Amino acid sequence: MVGIKDVARAAGLSVATVSRALNGQSAVSDGARAKVLSAAEALGYRPNVVARSLRTDRTRTIGLVISDVLNPYFTELARSVEEEARALGYSVIIGNADERAELEDHHVRSLMERRIDGLLVSPADGRSPTTLDAASGTTPVVFVDRWIPGSDAPVVRSDGRGAIRDLVAHLYGLGHRRLAIITGPAATTTGRERVEAFRAALSEFGLSLPDSHVGTGDFQAESGRLATEAFLDLPERPDAVFATDNLMALGALDAIRDRGLRVPGDIALAAFDDIPWFPHTAPPITAIAQPTAELGRVAVRALAGLIAGEPATSTVLPAHLVVRRSCGEPEPSAPTGGATRE
Amino acid sequence: MVGIKDVARAAGLSVATVSRALNGQSAVSDGARAKVLSAAEALGYRPNVVARSLRTDRTRTIGLVISDVLNPYFTELARSVEEEARALGYSVIIGNADERAELEDHHVRSLMERRIDGLLVSPADGRSPTTLDAASGTTPVVFVDRWIPGSDAPVVRSDGRGAIRDLVAHLYGLGHRRLAIITGPAATTTGRERVEAFRAALSEFGLSLPDSHVGTGDFQAESGRLATEAFLDLPERPDAVFATDNLMALGALDAIRDRGLRVPGDIALAAFDDIPWFPHTAPPITAIAQPTAELGRVAVRALAGLIAGEPATSTVLPAHLVVRRSCGEPEPSAPTGGATRE
DNA sequence: CGGCACGCTGGAAACGATTACATGATCGGA
DNA sequence: TCCGATCATGTAATCGTTTCCAGCGTGCCG
């Protein structure tokens, strides 16, 4: 591999001058710069970023630990994170936790060892000591989507409360009274928050949420199927199911289809997180959409700020309801507040 | 940050002994090892992999450049690659090319600068000189799914010819005669291969493929929509469309739906690449399934072999047709060879 | 004309690990 | 008893950069 020494020799200059010319930092004469540039070009010199990082203690790399790459929500997040990071001159290393705490730990540890400049994490386990340690260490950390209570790292997320209330209003308006929810793990902030918002909205409409109507999932499709099967086995089955992520909604759809039931005729279905496939499922699924790409961009900017020594800033963006047909034919009158119709 | 020197001081030993004890390479006395281990533990020592990599010239990291993270096919591939790599002690850095040649170049270059031990790439541009250079350099490279003709790097891919023939037979059996295809970019091997296999299968059934029935897409949803609109504008529109990837099928579905037409009544639709959503679309989509996860695992093993100095091995795995309802109600008799029915 | 500041350059010291080589101790066999 | 082999350990070189510092020339000002 051609190194800076080879360039220096070819240009007839010292490595120090070559380094300066290449990094454009301090003063180098035009002649020297030209010689260096052409020598580097001719030799096809590519700096060894490993050596550079060792010296500068900066890797220009950020880590992103997401809970599940197979979840379209997170891939969209990952995409926007990478895009924004690249624009800011950073590379991104993605770690996929697969909703498993020990994998999350593995990735967080491994990324810290790589001396990333900053870490973006959406914790699969909201109590992970490893992640909490990382967040309280010297490496800048920003939580995105989910966070760990008790850490003072900034959080970039979207607030689904308003949209969940809109959803309940929508369901209520269509005549549904026995509402059920499939939650995420209680160890995640989003898992807890969504069920709380749902419960609050229900009580606002004078409805209750019996334990039998709360299915605990893990944000994966299979758990959505199981929870839904349990609902369908109830003596009085719910007439609407709210899956708190898109994969569990998929599982719910499977379970309903396998019983030969129909959506929304036999049972209504709605999901948290909107994805490109929802308009195309049978029937198109009513969902709560987060500004996912924006979330990623804002999180990266917050992290870059932190790395540059700026103060931490948390951000909360709104989510909104997208009404389709999976809860029943929408009433032709004015839509509920803030909801989009497709 | 606590370094090896701190551990050495705490253990009352030299850094050399500490390094040896930690890496378990050469002989260290039991006493020394115990002292080192407890000191490292007590101090929370984590090796600086940047420094280690500089010295050893190995990063225990492989790069994966995929054409589009938003495509479920590639996220599944990425997931299995990461999983297998982790099992083998490697980390993975993913680069998303977004089907853009210049982004692919950027990522390949950036990964090489990072001194990754090996590179897995599914080229968005089958003529990229940067990628070709990388493949002919000293860093081991394995192509997965797509490859670059002219390079002798091993290729791990799946052969869709048989399944495409099965698909054509299936369509023919359902009475479809005017078949159309939405291809990927001619710059990709998969783009060319699928249309060739399709054309070959058609002629086997005595059908021709006029130019007007070949829409060129770029493996993204929007291009599928545009190509399909062109088909629908034809004086005599095709009665079946084969989209050569899942996103273009999504776009096709959009276009068909927007015209108020129905699948398969007005027009049949099939896709290359099966994804979890296809059983749930309206109607469920007939697709050709690749053994995606297996592809990823095999590719990683081939790359690890290359890194270890073993000879290169290419692999071709079979794809198969999964019949659903988007081409019409399947005939109740024996299915065409090798196809699965759902 | 002397001195100072400034611009450009090169030598050499980091960065934190691994590892070649040297050293000292211990032990067995001649 | 002495020598050589073996084992555990330490010293120092090394990886490829960046960057501190010193030196040297040049130009400007007093």
Side-chain angles (χ1 to χ4, degrees), chain B:
Chain B
M1 241 338 138
V2 28
I4 199 173
K5 281 193 206 138
D6 304 300
V7 178
R9 196 172 317 121
L13 292 163
S14 73
V15 292
T17 305
V18 173
S19 173
R20 280 186 286 249
L22 257 24
N23 294 310
Q25 307 285 18
S26 52
V28 177
S29 71
D30 291 347
R33 187 187 320 277
K35 271 191 281 191
V36 167
L37 260 36
S38 77
E41 170 78 293
L43 295 172
Y45 169 72
R46 308 257 89 208
N48 183 328
V49 301
V50 173
R52 170 182 297 167
S53 296
L54 176 61
R55 180 61 230 252
T56 60
D57 205 33
R58 310 191 60 221
T59 51
R60 300 233 39 112
T61 300
I62 64 176
L64 170 66
V65 177
I66 55 179
S67 324
D68 183 6
V69 255
L70 295 187
N71 186 325
Y73 168 74
F74 286 111
T75 65
E76 190 181 345
L77 185 69
R79 186 194 126 113
S80 82
V81 163
E82 195 276 335
E83 203 160 48
E84 185 71 15
R86 180 156 33 80
L88 267 44
Y90 287 95
S91 296
V92 179
I93 304 185
I94 302 174
N96 170 35
D98 248 348
E99 298 288 0
R100 285 154 54 191
E102 79 277 13
L103 257 187
E104 174 182 328
D105 285 354
H106 165 86
H107 282 122
V108 169
R109 236 194 307 267
S110 147
L111 287 167
M112 300 302 281
E113 283 181 10
R114 257 159 210 285
R115 299 304 199 263
I116 47 162
D117 293 344
L119 182 65
L120 239 40
V121 39
S122 176
D125 179 354
R127 295 170 304 220
S128 160
T130 309
T131 307
L132 195 55
D133 279 0
S136 49
T138 52
T139 306
V141 171
V142 170
F143 288 111
V144 54
D145 184 48
R146 312 179 187 174
W147 75 98
I148 297 190
S151 159
D152 50 1
V155 180
V156 174
R157 64 190 186 94
S158 106
D159 184 358
R161 289 170 187 278
I164 288 177
R165 196 217 156 267
D166 290 344
L167 170 65
V168 170
H170 172 64
L171 290 167
Y172 190 91
L174 291 165
H176 301 299
R177 292 296 179 269
R178 291 199 304 280
L179 273 39
I181 185 171
I182 308 175
T183 73
T188 59
T189 48
T190 48
R192 287 196 303 277
E193 189 182 79
R194 289 171 195 173
V195 66
E196 280 162 22
F198 190 68
R199 195 185 298 276
L202 285 192
S203 76
E204 191 180 328
F205 283 85
L207 301 176
S208 68
L209 185 63
D211 286 350
S212 63
H213 283 191
V214 178
T216 302
D218 59 4
F219 287 135
Q220 305 269 36
E222 188 55 25
S223 74
R225 165 193 284 274
L226 294 174
T228 305
E229 281 169 356
F231 291 152
L232 299 178
D233 284 336
L234 253 29
E236 234 190 2
R237 69 165 184 248
D239 40 35
V241 173
F242 172 41
T244 56
D245 93 333
N246 68 77
L247 293 179
M248 295 193 299
L250 178 64
L253 213 49
D254 269 327
I256 296 169
R257 191 181 70 152
D258 286 355
R259 295 282 177 109
L261 299 175
R262 298 202 350 219
V263 176
D266 297 306
I267 188 163
L269 180 65
F272 205 102
D273 291 335
D274 195 20
I275 58 170
W277 303 100
F278 278 167
H280 300 280
T281 49
I285 292 185
T286 292
I288 292 174
Q290 299 191 50
T292 317
E294 182 65 11
L295 238 34
R297 283 190 292 270
V298 171
V300 169
R301 286 198 288 263
L303 186 60
L306 230 44
I307 293 174
E310 296 164 19
T313 48
S314 288
T315 306
V316 178
L317 300 173
H320 75 280
L321 180 66
V322 179
V323 172
R324 297 200 183 88
R325 298 209 309 276
S326 64
C327 300
E329 282 308 318
E331 72 284 33
S333 64
T336 48
T340 307
R341 177 127 323 153
E342 287 205 347

Side-chain angles (χ1 to χ4, degrees), chain A residues 75-90:
Chain A
T75 65
E76 189 181 346
L77 186 69
R79 186 195 126 113
S80 82
V81 162
E82 195 276 334
E83 203 160 48
E84 185 72 15
R86 181 156 33 81
L88 266 45
Y90 287 94

Side-chain angles (χ1 to χ4, degrees), chain A residues 6 17 19 92 118 133 215 223 245 266 285:
Chain A
D6 304 300
T17 304
S19 173
V92 178
D133 279 0
S223 72
D245 92 333
D266 296 308
I285 292 185

Side-chain angles (χ1 to χ4, degrees), chain A residues 238-312:
Chain A
D239 41 34
V241 174
F242 172 41
T244 56
D245 92 333
N246 68 77
L247 293 179
M248 295 192 300
L250 179 63
L253 214 49
D254 269 328
I256 295 168
R257 191 181 69 152
D258 287 355
R259 295 284 176 107
L261 299 175
R262 296 195 359 212
V263 176
D266 296 308
I267 189 164
L269 180 64
F272 206 103
D273 290 337
D274 195 19
I275 59 171
W277 303 100
F278 279 167
H280 300 280
T281 49
I285 292 185
T286 293
I288 292 174
Q290 298 191 49
T292 317
E294 181 66 10
L295 237 36
R297 283 190 291 270
V298 171
V300 169
R301 286 199 287 264
L303 186 60
L306 229 44
I307 293 172
E310 295 164 18

